[in-house]
Amino acid sequence: MIVTIVNVFVLQEHVEAFIAATLDNHLGSVQEDGNLRFDILQHRDDPTVFTLYEAYESDEAAAKHKETSHYLKWRDTVAPWMAKARVGTPHRVIAPAEASQWR
């Protein structure tokens, strides 16, 4: 399993549009084979900062996500709304270790 935590910094004037576009990406992502979670988090103290928590069963499933039409649309749509480049950090999952424990 692999989890990628993506930190996104959005320009204030684009926060609501970013949320809408990211919800569309979420809806497609959670239907992908190999997706375990796709959470969208907005920081409480700074509403222009978001964290995406993406969990996939394998590196291959995570890589396939970046080839989907919903991801490519999201990537291209939100790019001009960024205050700075987003940063995705992959993590190795320690627990829960079994995919069945994710749902």
Side-chain angles (χ1 to χ4, degrees):
M1 282 179 277
I2 182 171
V3 167
T4 301
I5 297 175
V6 183
N7 294 302
V8 186
F9 305 87
V10 179
L11 296 168
Q12 178 66 45
E13 61 269 23
H14 298 293
V15 165
E16 293 306 316
F18 175 82
I19 291 171
T22 305
L23 284 170
D24 285 344
N25 185 39
H26 161 83
L27 291 174
S29 298
V30 297
Q31 295 179 44
E32 295 171 26
D33 288 337
N35 178 271
L36 300 171
R37 292 196 68 85
F38 195 99
D39 300 342
I40 306 165
L41 309 171
Q42 184 179 32
H43 293 212
R44 290 178 70 179
D45 295 335
D46 184 349
T48 67
V49 180
F50 295 83
T51 300
L52 307 181
Y53 184 94
E54 307 173 11
Y56 285 89
E57 291 179 348
S58 66
D59 288 323
E60 295 77 21
K64 207 172 210 184
H65 164 69
K66 292 187 176 181
E67 298 172 0
T68 63
S69 60
H70 56 269
Y71 168 77
L72 295 171
K73 178 182 177 185
W74 175 84
R75 181 195 67 188
D76 294 344
T77 299
V78 303
W81 302 341
M82 302 287 168
K84 60 182 177 178
R86 67 185 188 281
V87 178
T89 306
H91 294 73
R92 182 172 64 95
V93 175
I94 305 300
E98 298 298 321
S100 63
Q101 296 174 313
W102 284 81
R103 300 211 186 246

